[in-house]
Amino acid sequence: MNDFCLFACSDEYKLLNGLEFIRITQNLCQQLGVILKYMDYAFAEDELDLSKTETVINSESMHQLDRILSETTVTELSLWSDNEASGKPPFVHLNSEFRDTETDNYKYACIYFSMKLLENWSMEKLFSSMRDLLTSLNSLGRLDYVLITTMKTFLPQTDFRGIFTPGLNQGDALNLAMWERKFIYRKKNLRGLYWGNLLNSRHLTQIINKKELLDTLERLGCLYTPINGDDLFFMFPSSKLSAPSRGLIEAFLKKYDLLMEPDKEARDDVNRYFVLGS
């Protein structure tokens, strides 16, 4: 089974706005016909532990979270629609994590849910919903990179943490290794070409002929819209990108040096992963 997955980066995300994250996710859940029930959060000195602070979402827990956010540093907030142990799909998860490195501050929101929830959605309805969702997330912090894709159900919670899991194929493992080494360049280069993609203003300044890009997107049946005035968000008509469509856009992006490419270190990481996993 696959999950729909939206991943959005912003250096400006602050979990002081955690209640707004909850409101945004609740709004999406209403559209999908599910109820956001539980939340958990982690403090700066802790890893997320779903047994320590897990609570039902209600007025009391919201007031408590509001107080906690004003008094201490919360680095991660997770929300979901139902306990995974119940076996009742879908599992909806919003993950906002502050990740500090020597060179960059990596903050993101990740929202994923069962693709079954979209069975009766038209592409136009989905695109409109994602446009509104990105606009809301952008109000919490200027988005600098967004991708929308589908993944095996267990992957989103590990992929965006940079965790190699059993069962990754060569291509997925190499993409993850590349991302871990090059995510600091996301404002200049894209991780790859996905079902949905956000080109920020810096990406767009690298493109000399923007009309050529828009003409190509229209020819391929893609939907696109500005976000925050200066950024361009577009989605392909289907999550399964055809080889000709992918090839056209990838060639365009490569012409302007907009795609990340795996280096020797990333390939070495993948070789070690397969050796250790064999």
Side-chain angles (χ1 to χ4, degrees):
M1 182 183 296
N2 278 347
D3 280 345
F4 178 97
C5 181
L6 180 146
F7 171 78
C9 289
S10 172
D11 283 346
E12 299 174 9
Y13 279 157
K14 293 182 176 63
L15 274 175
L16 286 173
N17 296 321
L19 298 184
E20 185 64 11
F21 272 108
I22 295 175
R23 185 198 64 77
I24 289 170
T25 310
Q26 283 176 324
N27 183 59
L28 177 63
C29 286
Q30 288 175 359
Q31 297 177 54
L32 296 170
V34 297
I35 300 173
L36 197 61
K37 292 185 177 180
Y38 303 98
M39 68 177 170
D40 196 8
Y41 40 86
F43 302 105
E45 65 274 13
D46 298 326
E47 291 292 330
L48 187 65
D49 183 344
L50 292 177
S51 65
K52 287 172 63 178
T53 53
E54 177 182 338
T55 182
V56 174
I57 296 175
N58 54 35
S59 58
E60 181 180 349
S61 62
M62 292 281 277
H63 285 306
Q64 181 181 17
L65 177 60
D66 191 25
R67 177 182 57 78
I68 289 170
L69 290 170
S70 66
E71 294 177 353
T72 189
T73 300
V74 172
T75 59
E76 188 172 343
L77 172 65
S78 292
L79 316 168
W80 61 99
S81 63
D82 216 331
N83 279 325
E84 289 179 284
S86 72
K88 296 178 181 178
F91 180 66
V92 178
H93 182 84
L94 183 148
N95 181 349
S96 178
E97 178 182 48
F98 286 174
R99 176 177 172 181
D100 297 322
T101 71
E102 293 180 358
T103 56
D104 198 36
N105 202 16
Y106 180 37
K107 307 173 185 178
Y108 66 81
C110 182
I111 300 175
Y112 51 96
F113 51 84
S114 171
M115 281 290 290
K116 287 186 176 181
L117 292 174
L118 300 177
E119 286 178 342
N120 298 318
W121 283 43
S122 67
M123 186 59 211
E124 289 74 15
K125 178 179 179 179
L126 176 61
F127 180 77
S128 176
S129 178
M130 292 303 104
R131 177 199 62 206
D132 294 345
L133 178 58
L134 291 183
T135 299
S136 296
L137 290 173
N138 191 74
S139 70
L140 299 179
R142 175 70 183 268
L143 297 175
D144 54 56
Y145 183 55
V146 176
L147 66 85
I148 292 176
T149 188
T150 60
M151 290 185 179
K152 292 180 181 178
T153 296
F154 67 90
L155 281 180
Q157 56 193 306
T158 56
D159 184 88
F160 297 110
R161 291 175 176 272
I163 299 173
F164 286 87
T165 54
L168 286 178
N169 62 39
Q170 186 88 22
D172 290 339
L174 185 58
N175 180 273
L176 177 55
M178 174 194 71
W179 174 249
E180 281 300 292
R181 291 189 172 275
K182 296 193 172 184
F183 70 80
I184 60 174
Y185 303 116
R186 66 187 178 277
K187 297 175 188 177
K188 182 177 182 293
N189 303 114
L190 309 180
R191 179 174 178 174
L193 189 63
Y194 296 91
W195 186 9
N197 309 269
L198 179 83
L199 299 179
N200 67 38
S201 56
R202 181 173 177 182
H203 296 140
L204 293 172
T205 58
Q206 296 170 231
I207 299 175
I208 297 173
N209 189 348
K210 297 181 181 62
K211 184 177 185 302
E212 180 186 357
L213 172 62
L214 298 181
D215 288 346
T216 304
L217 292 177
E218 289 183 358
R219 190 164 71 250
L220 296 176
C222 298
L223 299 173
Y224 62 86
T225 185
I227 299 288
N228 195 49
D230 302 318
D231 306 334
L232 179 71
F233 170 62
F234 68 91
M235 288 188 73
F236 286 89
S238 169
S239 61
K240 296 179 175 61
L241 277 62
S242 69
S245 296
R246 178 184 289 277
L248 274 174
I249 301 296
E250 282 187 342
F252 181 89
L253 296 174
K254 286 180 179 179
K255 180 167 67 173
Y256 294 108
D257 192 27
L258 282 167
L259 287 180
M260 295 180 183
E261 298 287 350
D263 54 19
K264 181 181 181 302
E265 288 76 11
R267 297 184 188 279
D268 288 344
D269 288 345
V270 172
N271 290 335
R272 283 190 290 271
Y273 160 75
F274 280 103
V275 168
L276 293 173
S278 60

